[in-house]
Structures are given as structure tokens and as C-alpha cells.
Amino acid sequence: MAAHLKRRVYEEFSKVVQIHHEEAPAKKLRLSKPSKSAALHIDLCKTTNSTDALQYLLQFARKPVEAESVEGVVRILLEYYYKETDNSVRLKIASLLGLLSKTQGFSPDCIVDDAINTLVNEKSHQVLAQLLDTLLVIGSQLPESPSVRQMLVEVACKHLSDSYFGVRNKCLQLLGCLGLVDTPLNKDSDGVGTLRHTGAQRDVQTIISDYFGDQDPRVRTAAIKAMLQLHERGMKIQQIIYDQACRLLSDDYEQVRSAAVQMVWVLSQLYPESIVPIPSSNEEIRLVDDAFGKISHMVSDGSWMVRVQAGKTLGSMLQVSPHFLEQTLDKKLMSDLRRKRTAHERAKELFASGEFSSGRKWADDAPKEKLDTNTVNLIASGACGAFVHGLEDEMFEVRIAAVDALCQLARSSPSFAEKCLDFLVDMFNDEIEEVRLQSIHALREISTHITLREDQLDTVLAVLEDSSRDIREALHELLCFTNVSTKECIQLALLELLKNLNKYPTDRNSVWKCLKFLGSRHPTLVLPLVSELLSTHPYFDTPEPDMDDPAYIAVLVLVFNAAPSCPTMPALFSDHTFRHYAYLRDSLSHLVPPLRLPGRKQVYGLDSVDSGSGPGSVESAQVFLQQSLNRVSTIQNLEAPGSQDLLNFTIRDLQRLGELQPELAGAADFCATYLRCQLLLMKALQEKLWNLAVPLCLKQNVTATAAAQQILEETYKLEFLYSGLENRQVASIHHVRLQAKALQLILTARTKQGLDLLMSSCEKFLQEIDSFQRLFLTELPHLQDSFVDKLLELMPRLSNCKPAELVKILQTTLRQSGLLQLQLPNQQIHRATATIIEPTGESDNPLRFTSGLVVALDIDATLEHIQDPQKSVKVQVLYPDGQSHVIHPKPGDFRKPGPHRHRLITQVYLSHTAWTEPSQIEVRLLLAYSSSSFSSLSSLAVNQWSESMDSVPPSEAAVEGTIELSKAVKVFIMPKPARR
Amino acid sequence: MPEINVTPLGAGQDVGRSCILVSIGGKNIMLDCGMHMGYNDDRRFPDFSYITQNGRLTEFLDCVIISHFHLDHCGALPYMSEMVGYDGPIYMTHPTKAICPILLEDFRKITVDKKGETNFFTSQMIKDCMKKVVPLNLHQTVQVDDELEIKAYYAGHVLGAAMVQIKVGLESVVYTVSVNKSVQAAWIDKCRPDILISESTYATTIRDSKRCRERDFLKKVHETIERGGKVLIPVFALGRAQELCILLETFWERMNLKAPIYFSTGLTEKANHYYKLFITWTNQKIRKTFVQRNMFEFKHIKAFDRSYADNPGPMVVFATPGMLHAGQSLQIFKKWAGNEKNMVIMPGYCVQGTIGHKILNGQKKLEMEGRATLDVKLQVEYMSFSAHADAKGIMQLIRMAEPRNMLLVHGEGAKMEFLKGKIEQEFSIDCYMPANGETVTVKTNPSVPVDISLNLLKREMALGGPLPDPKKPRPMHGTLIMKENSLKLVSSEQALKELGLNEHQLRFTCRVQLQDPHSDADTLHRIYTHLKGLLKGYSIQHLPDGTVMVESIVIKVSSSSEDTNTKVLLLSWSYQDEDLGSYLSNLLKKGLPSGLC
């Protein structure tokens, strides 16, 4: 235990050094180096037996060592290594050497020779393996030195003949990671002329491939892995290896087979077009086809790991010829030696004959013609039926891999896509949800190539009743992109979607969206259905449907989206349909496209303008946006009359623009918010009351304080809520924030009397200016004449003057500075938004639970344009008594259904003491941000040695906060007192 | 040469009463002990008199292994053990052990109580028989005795079905019941048995995917339920019934359906209980869900009561028996047959003469007892859910296990013929399909393990390269000692020491006549140079005492007494240098080349 105490002392010692470091960082290096290695030395000398030493080394391994003292530590360890007789201690030392050489900032070239020397006298195989591992670490730390590599490779070759598998494994690994990529070894050694190692005479690949036939399966695996490693490092694997790799596919051990599958795949990608002979025949085929056949064969391997590997691999073999590809779906059934048709074929036949039935006929699967026994192929050879096997596998992992592979292959080959459709649709009925989901996604990806048949659609639509929301939404997404062939299909889809809507009312939005695409994709198929769908009659007036019925809205969405491409369609509408159109166009404008309806221009003036200008409208809106900004920039003097009005109008314009042009909503919103900040600032500064004495302008102070606070909040929103900003915009935002802070400072100076407080806030402000300058150095030229620019000019004076003076300067600068013009970034600005879908907040039934216990509340929300929501999105629960909880959802609760879109489905736990009657809590989503304006500074302070981190206080300038992301949803809850 | 004998007592080119005798390495094993459903006389059970005419079987059999609980695999067990007499161990897996007695008891009740047969086994006999059972765990190697070991693999056919590997020394036999279509469920090592005995019921069938069939089934049920109709599914109590229950239960869960599902009472409940216990033996889906809940704790499926049949609204009922010939399923069928909204789904094969068979063939009017007729208006569906492996499954299994010989049982002869041809063609291994009572003898060529002394091995290692090269066999010298059933390879010195024998030197001598005009010494020198030129890498010495030593071979020259030109060479070598010695003698017989100086 003396060792412990000793160590304690040294630790404390080094801590003291760390604090010194703030002033004199150079000193630390010299002081701490002896500390670490000396401590180690003393401790190792003190240990009497190997158990103690091992214990000590284990503890030692937990603490990092600074780069400067690594070498010393290594020397001590090596010294001890030679003295030690116990294998386990030597093993630990060997592993420590590897660990140490990974230390950042330490270059291990100085210990290479020492490490190699240790190998010479080592007897224990385990230690030898560990030492080789250490060498591997060292070697990979020194990618730039070929001589070291050469040396290490030679060492590896020498030990390849070891009888212990671990040593051979490590040697192969070493060869794989360090073997020279471009120059084969023999050229090197020829030049040198040394014949020290016969192994080095051949190139690395041959050496490694010799071990493909090793007696130990682990070594065989390592050999293949090493070869793959070589490939990854850019060495061209020779084609000769192909045969060997193929032989390994029938190895007894699954790990070998699995690696061999990868190897064969790599070779097939390298030499797709070379020709290989087919054994036992004179024919020859392309290598990629051959490999495809062989890997397909592995889909029916005995081990499921290999099957998964093979399944995954197949998907990326896109060069395979279509003939082989189609074989993978080959499926022949027989019953009592008579050919039987598959369900797929039957369905197809029914479809072709024009009769659609669900196959409800006794013995329609009765076997037909007699099969010739010679033609029946019982064992799948080559690619035959590979996917049929994969998709019917018992393990769902294999099935998922097969679905993925099918999808990848189908994406590149439309004809194959057509063929695999039946199989994919079949997978919609898998018993495991992941597989169903995966196959729905797969079908969506290939949907451009395919048209669904009616019977297939039928199967697809049956999944709409699935209780899993993910599945249903994925299916809606799929339907958005599918092509169907007949009007019956449309009708069928509509019917099933309405059923879905009826069963799961929460799917409303998703179903509507789905119908929108369905309508716009198949206008001609919808046209003949219109009168039926709207239940109009040529002679009779039919009752007007209920406008609030989601099902009716769904039908209308379908019809209206088909209408733009079918000019004849509106003629079929009845009067109320037009009225409903107007209503829906207004209330659900994202679902209902603008229609040009005859004689209704006056009502839909806006729409017709929109649709009239066509594709140019976005551009014109962009121009408008730019013009508005330019107009604002003419305001030079904040006091100028009318400038406030101008700002006000511009803000209003921009907001309306955002509503009209969804593409520009983000940008418009961003500008409007920015201008609002400016407006607030202007208002706060404009008042004449600034010249009055402090006690007289209390009211003014209050509004100004509020304004400053609000501006600060808005700037955080601007910075973190919008994506697509460039550094320049961020600079503008920070600039506004700086102005707001200046305003705050002035107000503090005016109200608070304490000089200390003022001093510190002045200092803080100066720091902020400093950091602003550092952060936006490149942007400074764009900030000519701005507030900051002026301040920076005055900077030398500011840093020396008294607070009162500083405040005065600030005040004048602030009032004189003009408005900083906002430049729009080149890319689109998006505003992060979130909508809570569930809970809807409509329920009147309180959620009852016993007080003190918890109740889980399901939350389902969609998030858009949020980067990294796993870290930033939080759920806030606000209780009526003002208590508020912020809950951090699990990363697994976020799903990503599309680009820039996330879905949060989580549960939050509520709890409270008993209430007498139900009341509402509020649930909302928050976006957490942390603005560390001093981030660059604090990162400098971060030290290599983590121990020092404890002493560094967290950067005080880091502002953490949250922004409200969504509207609050109210949930009725009722904690009941517990019954005794 | 050792051999393995296989004799089917039942199930040879036949379906039913599986019973196969295997004698391997001097051990006799009985695989399965089933009954034939088609017979009611003595042919019902396997002919145990084949083993012995009178007396008990115990001394003739080392163990009995039961693969799964179907009656055609275990039905004759109490008869064999209690009535014929067998006291040795009976091996079966845990689930089989649990469910087997239920089925046997049921079988007994039907035969004795309903059909009134006498001379049948009693309940007590079933119990006594089950006491002799030793349960097996999957992948557990059980030593039956010192030499015989058995190991069970998962076979996936029905709950608890197992493949069994029987091993004596290095000879082994694998016995498998029908593996599932998704063969991967059934997994076996590449154990390369001498014989793989496999069932071949569906030898000529390749089936469509299970998913397709399930989808059809579920779709039909779903549509009927949506129409407001009732669905009747007549089932047999075990196996498929549970499978269908799970299927419907998951579907209900998935589709969020509310209509009730009922399961008619009877032995099913007991069986369900066992299914609950043996979750680990079921498929991946059930095992995966088990973390949340036990799939057999049905949420939607409830016990059926007679009165429920008249309840309005949609429902699904599983009722026994499966062929609609009697009992609850028939009662319900009568009630529901008149409504075209309803549906009956026959999930299995129906024997001729049963109502199930009639309605499947489209009969619309049924004559019931008395004069009454029943109009069949409800829809009739057929659904095949057989759990047997198809031809592809068997082939896959062969590929996985790589047996040296294949033996087909439990299938129709004609169908086997086809599969046999295929197997022989694809794998080029011998395939047998013995009839009942016919013995198949397979010669095995087991490698014989020999202990080798470490010293000897090290010595050999030192002589050759550092590592033995697996591709090149290398001869080594040693002495093989056979002692009390064990084989040992030791160096000859050690062997001598162990056996207490003196070492005898064996030397070969040989005279070779040679025509050579030179003097003796010159001849010897000529021989020396000649050999030196030929045998590179051997130590050849010309010793001063007038001999030439090639390694340990001594060559001397003397002139013959009659003719000085005829030289007599004396070669002498020890037994160890036989190769070199005979080579030298042959060489010298040819004479010396004249060009030598």
C-alpha cells in the first residue's frame, strides 16, 4: 500500500503543476516528466512478487501519460520486462507498450528497435503474440516511415512459422496492415542484396495466401482478413487468389467461410470481366458471374452468419449479367413429381386472364404436368434460387439482408425490379416487423421501375391495417411513389386508405398526403372515377357531404390533385364541390393545388396569380425578398421618420411572403426576425428620454430592458433555429446580440449603483467584443461602419477607460451606428420546426394514475430541419403549479423517415402529488443550444492530461439555453391519492 | 473391416410405425418406436420378434431413442417396454417427454375405451414406461456407456423434435426426422457421419414458401371476419393447432382486430401449457417476442364454451377433431353450415369418408344421421400446412452434414427411388432404401487413433522442418504396441524397454562379384569415387583399414581365389539401412563404369 500513498503524493504534486500552468505553461513539461516515470520506477522496484506488479500495472494503465514522459516510462517498463519472469506480467507490459505508443503527440519511432529486440528472447507464445500486437500499433502510428515498416514486416515473416495460432494470427495482421502496398517485397530486398529472410523474397500477398491453407481455422480467417486489409489499403489483389478463396468457401468453419465470401466479393469487384473456366466443362464465364454464383450458393449455408454475409454481399454485385441475376429468383415447385405452379404464377395468370379472384378455388394449385425426373434440380446450384432461399430463411437477419440485396440490385436493373416485385410484395407479410418495414422501404426505392398489378396492390394494401405506425407510414410513403395500372387499383387504394383512416384516425395527415400524390400521379385513372367518388349524378342532386369528414376530405384531395392535369374534370364537379375546393385550398393549401376554374377568378385571384406565374413565381418571390431587404438597407439613420414604419411593413411583407412561398418560408422568416430585432433596438434607442436623469425614466428603462432581453432571445433563435446559415449571417446575428448586450450594459449602468457589478459587466463586455473579433475575423471587412467596427476602432481607449466613460462611448456609438444589412446566404434557409402529433390535446378524459407513481405519456412528433436532434431536442413538461421538467429522449426514439426530417416517438414519465381534480399539463418540445462564444478559447485550455480538466472551470461564457420548438399541447392528467 | 448394420422394423419404404435398428461398433440402438395408424391388428406395432423370439429385449438393445412425440414415432413405446419387456434407457428431449404421455394416453383411451380392444397397454404401463425415459438437452453429448454417445440437434419439425447423432468411437450415424422447410432452423455440424438416416415423406415435393401459404390463410380469415362471418378451423390437438394459434394471435395483434378467437377445450389446454414451458424450442419470432411476453399466453385466444357457437358477430373457432368426423368441430359445423358468410378452413388432409373429405370435394348436401340433410352453404377452404421437409430440405441437410452414406426411411418406395437417384447423382454417395426387415450393411473405414509418445514426436520434429505440412505425409519410424485395447506408438528403444526384450541386431550381408582388373585397393578406391559421384549428401568414407563406409554400410573388397580379375565385394548393412543397402547392392551389381580412374 505504500505504493499507493506514494502515487497519491505524486498525483497531488502534478495537480499543483497544472494550476501553475495557467501562467507558465513551459514549466509544466519539465516538472511533470520526472514525476510520472519516477513514480513508476519506484513503484515497480517496490513490488516484491508478480501479482503485485500486475496489480500495479493494471492501475497504471487506467491513467493517461503525457506525451513527453512516454519514452521514459517505456524505458522503465522495458527494463522491468527483461527482469520479469512471470508471463502474465510480461504480457501486461507488452500491452502497455502498445497503449503508450498510442499516446497523442508521441512518436513511437524511438522505441521500435527496443520493441523488436524484446521479441528475440521471448519464449511464451502469448507474450509473443502481444508483443506483435504492440508492434502493429507502433507500425500503424508510423505510416510515413517505410524503413520501420520493412523491418516490422520482416519480423512478422520470421514469426509466421510459430506453432501457436495467436502468433501466426498477429503476424498475418501485421502483414495485412503494414505490408507495402505498391512495391512487392522482392524488389526492395533485391536492391539491398540481403538474403536474410527467405520469406521476404516473395511479395506479401503470396506469403499471406500461403496461410489460406493453415491447419488452424483462426489463422485461415486471419489470413483472409489480412488480405482484405491489404485490399483496403489500396493494394491490388492478384487474381490467382480467386481460386484459393473459392475453395475456402467450403471450409468447415463459419468464420473462414464468412471471410472467404468477402474475399471472393472483393476479387469479383476487381476483375469483373476476366474469364474463368467452369470446372467439368469446357465453357468459360465472366469472373463476376462465377463469383455471384458462388456467393449465391452461400445463401443456403449452414451458418446464419455466413448467410447474412452472403446476402449483404450479393446486393453490391451490380455488374453481374442479367441472366444470372434472374436465376436467383428461380423457383420450381413440384408435388409428387408433377410440376406445380407457384402462388405468384397463379396470381399472374389470373391477372392475365382478366379475372381477379383471391384464388378461392378448391385445388387450383393442383399439380399439373408430369416432370421429367432428370430436369428437376433439387440442390440449388450457383445462383439458382438464391433469393428465394434468402427470403424464406428462418432467421430474420438473413431475410433483411436478402431484401436489401434485392433492392440494391433492382435499383440498377429495371427488368430485375419487375421480376422481384412478387417476392418483395410477399415479404410484406413477414412475421417480423423489421422485415416488413425493410421490404416496404425497398419497394419504395425501386418504385420508379415498377407498376403494381392489382393482386400485388391488394397484398400491399392489406398491410395498411397493421397496428404499427411505422409500417403504415412507410406504406403511405410507398403509395406516394407507386405507379398503378388500372382505375380499379386507384379505387382499391382509396378504399383501403379510407378504411385505414377509419381505423386509425391519427393517420389523417399521412393518408391525405398519400392521396395527394396518388391523384397527381394518376390523373387519367382518377378521371373516370370522379363522379363515382364525389357521388354526383347527372340528373339528381345528391346531398352535400359533411365538410369535416376526414374521409370526404381524403376523396377531395385525390380528385383535386388529379384535376390540374385533366382540364375536363372540373366540369364534373357539382356546386358544393367548388365551395369545398375554396375552403380546402385555404385551410389545407399544402394538400390542394391551385386549380384554374372557369368563371371563378374573382374568388381565387390569389391562386390564379400563383399558378399563372408558374415556375417563375419562386424566382419572383426571391427577387421580392431581395428588394425588401435592399429597401430596408436604405435606412441609414435610425431616427429618420418613417424608418420604423418601413421596417414594420417590410416585416409584414416578409411574413406573408413566407406563407405564400413555402420554398422561401425559412429565408423570409429569418429576415423578418432579424428585422424585428433591429426594430426593437431602434425603438429602445430612439426614445428621447435617454437624456433624462435616471429616476425619471424608470418606465423607459423597463421597456428597454425588456427589449434588450427579447433581442437576445431572438438572436439565439436566429442562430440555432435556422439551418443553412453561413458565417456571414452568424456574424450579423452576433452583431445584433452584441448591440443588445451593449444596451443592457448601458441600462445596468443607469440603474444599478454598485461599481463592482458594473466593473465586472464592463469587463465581460470587452471580452465579448474580443471574442467577436476573433470568431469573425474574416467577416470584419463586411461590417464596415457598423457598431462593432466603430468599437474596435476605439478598442485601445475602451480597455483602459473607466466604466462610466465606457458606457458613455457605448451609448453614442450605439445610437450612431446604422443598420447592418443582412445578406442572404446562397443556400436555402430552413427553419427548424416540430409538431406534436400525439397527444393531440383534444381528449377530455384525464389520464388517471396514483400519485407518487409514474404514468407514461406517449409522445409522437415530427421534427424538420433539425441537425442532430438526438442531442438537442428535449421534451418539457410543465405542471400547473409551475413545476417544469425537461426530459431528454433516448437516441433510439428518433427515427429518420426522410432527409431533414426526424420523427420522435417516445414516452415521457409524469408524476405528481395528488390533486383534487384533473388539470392540464403542458407538453412541448425544446431545442437545447449551447452557445460558447469562447469555444476557441476553451479548447485551447483543454489539456492532454485529463487530470487537469478537473481544475479548469467550465467556460463561463458558454450560454446554455433552450428554444421552444413546438406549440404546447395540453394533456389532462389526474393523480389520485394512493389508497391505503 | 468394421461395419454398421441398419434394419428398419417399420417405416422401411413405408409411412408409419417408425422403428429402425442400428448396430454400430457392437452396440444396438433402436431409433423410434412408433405405431401404424392404418392398421388395427398386430401390424400396428413393429415386429419386435425380429430381435428376439421370446424373452425381454433389454439384453439385446443398448438404448432406445425417440425423435419426437408423433404417434408414428413413439406409439409403440409402452408396448415395447412393458409388454415385450425392455428396461434399458429411453432417450428423448424434454418437450417430447412432456407431451408424449398425453398423446399415448389419448391413443389408449380411443383404442381401449372407444373401440373396446383388450390386450392393450394400460395407463400404468405408460407411466412405468415414462419412468425409464432419460431426457436429452440439445447439443448435449450423453454417454450411454463408455463407448456409445448420443447428441441431439434441433430439428424444428414439431416442438421438441430432434436429430440424433449416435457415435461409437469414430463411427457415427445421424438419424433425423423430417426437418422443416426452412432447413436453417434445423442445424447440424459438418459431422460427416457414416450414415445419415432421413425421413423422406415428401421426397418428390418442393413446396412454395411458407409465407405465401400463411398469407392466403390469414387473408381468408380476415375477409370472413370483416364480412361478419364465423370461421371454423378443425384441427388435431397438437402441433399444427398451436402453430395456427400463434399465427392468428400475431395477426390479430398486428392488424389490431377485435373479433374473438376460441380454442375448443380438451387435451389442447394441457398441450398449450407445455408449449408455454418450452419456448426455447420454438421459432425465432416466438423466442424474440418472449422478452415482452410469452406468445403462448394468448391475448386474443380464449377457451371455447359450447354456448358461444350461437353468439352473434364474427369469431374464429379452433375445434377438434381435424377431419370433421365427430365431436365438437362437427357440432359447430352443423350450426354454421347454413350461412354463406361463414367459412370452414381445413388445415390438413382428410381421410375418405369423413365429412371433411366430402365438403372438400365440393359436396353441397350432406346426409346426417337419420334422414336429415344438411345444406352446405358456408365456404370451404383447404390450407396445406404440413411440417414435413420437402426434397430440397433433405438435400440441404445432406449438404450440411456431408454423410458418407445415405439411408431413406419413412416414405413411399416409388418416391424414395426418385430422391435416391437425385442424391446419388448430386453428391455421389451411396444411398439405400431398405424395406422392413431388410438389413443394410455399410462398411466403414474408421481412422484408428493411436497415442504417440511425445519424445518420439519431438525427435521426428527435430529431424524435419519446423512445422508438419498438412499436405505432405511424412513417414516416421516407431513401434506400435497394442495392449489392452489401446494403441501406442513409441520409439523402438522404449518399446524394447517396456516389453523387457533384448535388442537384436539384424545385419544383411551380400556378396557381389565384379570383374575388375585392378588391385583390391584400387578397386576399393574406384568404388569410393564412383559412389562419391553418385550419392551426394551421404557421408562416404574411405577408411584406412580397407573398407568404404557409406553411412553405416560397410563395403569390403577381396579378390576371388580362382580369378584375380573377379573381385568379390562384401556389403554389410544393418536392418535400419535396408533401403540404402539394397540400393547399393543393385548399383554395384551393374559393375563399375570404365571411365573411372
Side-chain angles (χ1 to χ4, degrees), chain A residues 928-974:
Chain A
Y929 61 85
S930 80
S931 140
S932 47
S933 49
F934 287 91
S935 54
S936 50
L937 226 177
S938 51
S939 69
L940 280 176
V942 170
N943 200 283
Q944 295 284 336
W945 209 350
S946 58
E947 277 173 63
S948 65
M949 282 306 285
D950 310 332
S951 55
V952 173
S955 168
E956 57 202 284
V959 179
E960 304 224 345
T962 50
I963 304 169
E964 220 168 277
L965 254 185
S966 70
K967 286 193 195 113
V969 173
K970 291 189 168 146
V971 182
F972 241 149
I973 61 163
M974 171 66 198

Side-chain angles (χ1 to χ4, degrees), chain B residues 226-397:
Chain B
E226 285 212 321
R227 271 202 308 270
K230 298 176 168 63
V231 182
L232 171 66
I233 307 173
V235 285
F236 287 106
L238 272 166
R240 199 157 316 151
Q242 276 75 16
E243 207 176 297
L244 287 177
C245 277
I246 294 271
L247 196 63
L248 274 191
E249 167 88 8
T250 11
F251 188 72
W252 249 238
E253 186 111 359
R254 211 179 105 191
M255 294 302 190
N256 207 357
L257 299 177
K258 295 285 180 278
I261 308 175
Y262 297 113
F263 207 130
S264 81
T265 46
L267 78 166
T268 358
E269 269 174 42
K270 217 168 179 181
N272 273 350
H273 174 66
Y274 287 117
Y275 268 80
K276 261 183 225 174
L277 288 179
F278 296 113
I279 282 294
T280 45
W281 289 77
T282 50
N283 69 24
Q284 194 193 15
K285 159 85 184 165
I286 300 171
R287 269 177 285 144
K288 229 170 102 72
T289 347
F290 183 62
V291 184
Q292 281 131 35
R293 68 189 189 93
N294 190 335
M295 278 300 278
F296 291 100
E297 309 266 7
F298 296 122
K299 212 193 236 170
H300 302 276
I301 302 177
K302 295 160 209 118
F304 185 70
D305 187 275
R306 210 166 283 264
S307 60
Y308 292 168
D310 297 320
N311 284 0
M315 67 172 89
V316 179
V317 175
F318 286 95
T320 46
M323 295 186 199
L324 279 183
H325 47 82
Q328 205 157 33
S329 60
L330 186 62
Q331 283 173 5
I332 302 171
F333 176 75
K334 280 190 209 155
K335 271 190 186 144
W336 292 358
N339 192 340
E340 64 275 2
K341 273 205 286 185
N342 297 343
M343 178 183 286
V344 60
I345 297 179
M346 311 296 299
Y349 175 72
C350 287
V351 173
Q352 208 159 18
T354 57
I355 292 185
H357 188 255
K358 283 180 197 159
I359 57 170
L360 271 182
N361 282 325
Q363 213 165 316
K364 286 292 172 203
K365 266 201 196 313
L366 294 176
E367 288 178 22
M368 309 309 277
E369 314 90 67
R371 287 279 177 84
T373 56
L374 184 66
D375 284 329
V376 182
K377 284 189 186 152
L378 87 178
Q379 297 170 41
V380 180
E381 298 287 350
Y382 172 76
M383 214 65 247
S384 152
F385 272 102
S386 181
H388 289 261
D390 62 3
K392 269 196 173 168
I394 297 169
M395 298 300 264
Q396 285 273 19
L397 190 76

Side-chain angles (χ1 to χ4, degrees), chain B residues 166-209:
Chain B
I166 302 140
K167 219 170 144 185
V168 177
L170 284 175
E171 297 166 287
S172 63
V173 170
V174 169
Y175 174 60
T176 167
V177 286
S178 31
V179 252
N180 242 341
K181 159 70 195 173
S182 49
V183 200
Q184 280 78 19
W187 173 88
I188 192 163
D189 320 302
K190 216 167 239 180
C191 52
R192 301 193 173 93
D194 291 304
I195 307 181
L196 176 67
I197 305 174
S198 168
E199 211 171 77
S200 52
T201 325
Y202 286 84
T204 53
T205 302
I206 304 173
R207 234 180 266 109
D208 206 346
S209 81

Side-chain angles (χ1 to χ4, degrees), chain B residues 74-107:
Chain B
C74 70
L77 201 55
Y79 171 76
M80 184 209 60
S81 74
E82 305 309 312
M83 294 170 79
V84 180
Y86 169 73
D87 298 320
I90 302 170
Y91 290 94
M92 52 176 84
T93 60
H94 284 280
T96 311
K97 191 190 170 191
I99 297 174
C100 191
I102 311 177
L103 284 172
L104 285 173
E105 181 61 31
D106 194 50
F107 172 48

Side-chain angles (χ1 to χ4, degrees), chain A residues 631-755:
Chain A
R631 201 166 48 219
V632 172
S633 70
T634 56
I635 307 173
Q636 280 307 321
N637 191 353
L638 292 174
E639 317 241 331
S643 59
Q644 276 198 24
D645 287 339
L646 181 58
L647 272 178
N648 263 327
F649 286 131
T650 315
I651 290 169
R652 200 200 56 198
D653 284 354
L654 287 176
Q655 277 171 341
R656 181 67 182 144
L657 180 74
E659 283 163 30
L660 290 179
Q661 278 297 336
E663 288 91 345
L664 289 175
D669 228 33
F670 178 73
C671 297
T673 319
Y674 179 76
L675 293 180
R676 197 169 323 114
C677 289
Q678 297 285 8
L679 184 65
L680 279 168
L681 194 67
M682 200 180 279
K683 273 185 182 161
L685 290 173
Q686 192 202 34
E687 306 293 324
K688 300 286 182 224
L689 302 164
W690 280 94
N691 302 326
L692 289 177
V694 176
L696 292 177
C697 61
L698 219 61
K699 186 169 158 263
Q700 162 62 23
N701 266 344
V702 171
T703 53
T705 319
Q709 194 54 46
Q710 199 182 341
I711 295 168
L712 277 183
E713 272 170 29
E714 295 281 351
T715 56
Y716 286 123
K717 274 192 199 166
L718 282 173
E719 189 178 351
F720 297 103
L721 219 48
Y722 295 88
S723 58
L725 298 183
E726 288 162 8
N727 209 17
R728 191 149 173 204
Q729 285 77 43
V730 182
S732 307
I733 296 167
H734 276 254
H735 183 249
V736 180
R737 191 178 302 158
L738 209 57
Q739 282 177 312
K741 283 189 176 157
L743 183 62
Q744 269 185 328
L745 183 63
I746 297 166
L747 289 167
T748 335
R750 280 168 69 94
T751 47
K752 308 261 169 52
Q753 299 303 325
L755 198 64

Side-chain angles (χ1 to χ4, degrees), chain B residues 405-408 419-421 423-424 429-433:
Chain B
N405 295 285
M406 184 73 199
L407 197 140
L408 298 176
L419 191 62
K420 178 176 178 243
I423 292 171
E424 283 171 348
I429 54 174
D430 284 334
C431 183
Y432 305 92
M433 32 178 284

Side-chain angles (χ1 to χ4, degrees), chain A residues 250-252 297 300 302 307 331-337 342-343 360 362 373-374 376-379 389 391-397 399 426-432 434 436 458-459 462 465-467 499 503-504, chain B residues 181-182 184-185 187 190 192 203-209 211-212 215 219 222-223 226 253-257 283-285 287-288 343 360-361 379 381-382 391-392 395-396 399-400 415 418-419 422 426-427 467 470:
Chain A
S250 51
D251 200 276
D252 278 7
H297 194 57
S300 43
R307 299 201 299 270
K331 177 161 135 179
K332 276 204 189 89
L333 306 181
M334 62 171 189
S335 171
D336 282 351
L337 277 181
T342 61
R360 196 175 293 113
W362 160 236
T373 47
N374 293 325
V376 182
N377 207 1
L378 276 185
I379 190 108
H389 276 279
L391 293 176
E392 286 172 23
D393 199 277
E394 198 243 358
M395 305 298 288
F396 80 92
E397 291 90 343
R399 298 200 295 268
D426 215 26
M427 296 307 287
F428 280 32
N429 283 296
D430 198 273
E431 55 183 5
I432 305 271
E434 280 102 315
R436 296 203 293 271
D458 195 47
T459 321
E465 285 193 54
D466 205 293
S467 60
K499 225 192 225 170
K503 200 161 172 183
Y504 306 100
Chain B
K181 159 70 195 173
S182 49
Q184 280 78 19
W187 173 88
K190 216 167 239 180
R192 301 193 173 93
T204 53
T205 302
I206 304 173
R207 234 180 266 109
D208 206 346
S209 81
R211 206 176 304 109
C212 270
R215 186 193 60 207
K219 201 171 148 192
H222 191 185
E223 274 169 5
E226 285 212 321
E253 186 111 359
R254 211 179 105 191
M255 294 302 190
N256 207 357
L257 299 177
N283 69 24
Q284 194 193 15
K285 159 85 184 165
R287 269 177 285 144
K288 229 170 102 72
M343 178 183 286
L360 271 182
N361 282 325
Q379 297 170 41
E381 298 287 350
Y382 172 76
K392 269 196 173 168
M395 298 300 264
Q396 285 273 19
R399 201 184 127 186
M400 247 190 277
K415 295 183 181 177
F418 161 78
L419 191 62
K422 279 287 157 191
E426 298 275 355
F427 298 100
L467 264 188

